[in-house]
Amino acid sequence: MEAPPCSQVEELQQEQEHGSSLVVGLSLCDSAPLLWRFQDLKTVRSNSLVGALLGSLPRTPRQNIRLGRPLLLMPEEERVLREHHGAAALSAWNQDAAGAAELRQRYEEEQQRSLEEQSILALEDRKLALLRAMTSSSGSESGAGSDEALQCRLLALEQNFSFPRSALAVQLSTARAGLSHCQEACAFLEADRPIREQDSPRRDARYQVFRDLWGRGFFLTSAGKFGGDFLVYPGDPLRFHAHFIAVCLTLDESICMLDVLSVARLGSNVKKTVLLCSPAPDGSVHYTSLQWSGMM
């Protein structure tokens, strides 16, 4: 397998040495690392880390063809960033009880302010609806009597109108919640803080393969739909098709011949080469390519 020179790790280390800010803020949802800030998405993409978009677009929420933020990182992508001091939990900074109480008070004040604003708008909409209804029902009849009745109805509506809190529209204050990118927000991030431990022979093998291929300049995404661990792209997935399906195995792990045949035939059907990837104790990775040539 031919590969571009090992450059991703060196470039990331050089940028860290020159003091450029590559720290991205991860929001952990249970154990899933999510990126919300647009600048963080640009940062990881510039370092050949793809991830997967999960959120719906505000203007077209009822479709799943094109998705938006947040960006879900694979465990290997998160570990690469963490080992190079490029990521930290967005909530790594601790708040005392007074700070938490102040934030809660601000949140309740904003909710109350939003309720009052939406109540005024709802009352105006109800008045317009009543005005249209009474105007259409009166027809050609007009005069002081109809105007007086209209004013009485509007006054009664204004006095008796109540806007329930259950009808309050949800507003996501992403800028005030710290999801927008700014230089001050980086002060809360501690790049040397472990996000969570990931110890498993299988997981370590996947990570060593991911780090080796990523270091060679390839782009990697999940290959669950293709029966492997990673899809390996020669460039940005928006411009290239995947060339390889990487299957990660430890050196002492046995594999059934039927599994080898099935994954090789699957790779042939989707026009991709299957790579059996096994990390060695010295840190290198052994690659074995499989191609389906048919039956005699």
Side-chain angles (χ1 to χ4, degrees), residues 264-282:
R265 186 166 185 177
L266 174 61
S268 176
N269 289 339
V270 295
K271 297 180 174 59
K272 305 182 193 308
T273 300
V274 176
L275 294 179
L276 299 182
C277 314
S278 299
D282 59 358

Side-chain angles (χ1 to χ4, degrees), residues 45 217 219 221 231-243 272:
R45 193 75 175 202
F219 287 69
T221 63
L231 286 177
V232 185
Y233 297 80
D236 195 305
L238 294 177
R239 301 178 56 189
F240 297 91
H241 290 287
H243 286 187
K272 305 182 193 308

Side-chain angles (χ1 to χ4, degrees), residues 121-172:
L121 295 176
L123 178 59
E124 294 297 328
D125 290 341
R126 191 69 62 83
K127 286 182 177 180
L128 291 177
L130 178 61
L131 181 61
R132 287 194 298 266
M134 294 192 65
T135 304
S136 61
S137 62
S138 61
S140 60
E141 297 180 0
S142 62
S146 60
D147 293 340
E148 183 177 356
L150 178 60
Q151 294 299 326
C152 292
R153 293 289 299 275
L154 292 176
L155 180 60
L157 175 62
E158 186 172 354
Q159 293 176 349
N160 301 323
F161 178 78
S162 62
F163 186 73
R165 181 173 288 271
S166 59
L168 180 66
V170 177
Q171 294 179 325
L172 299 178

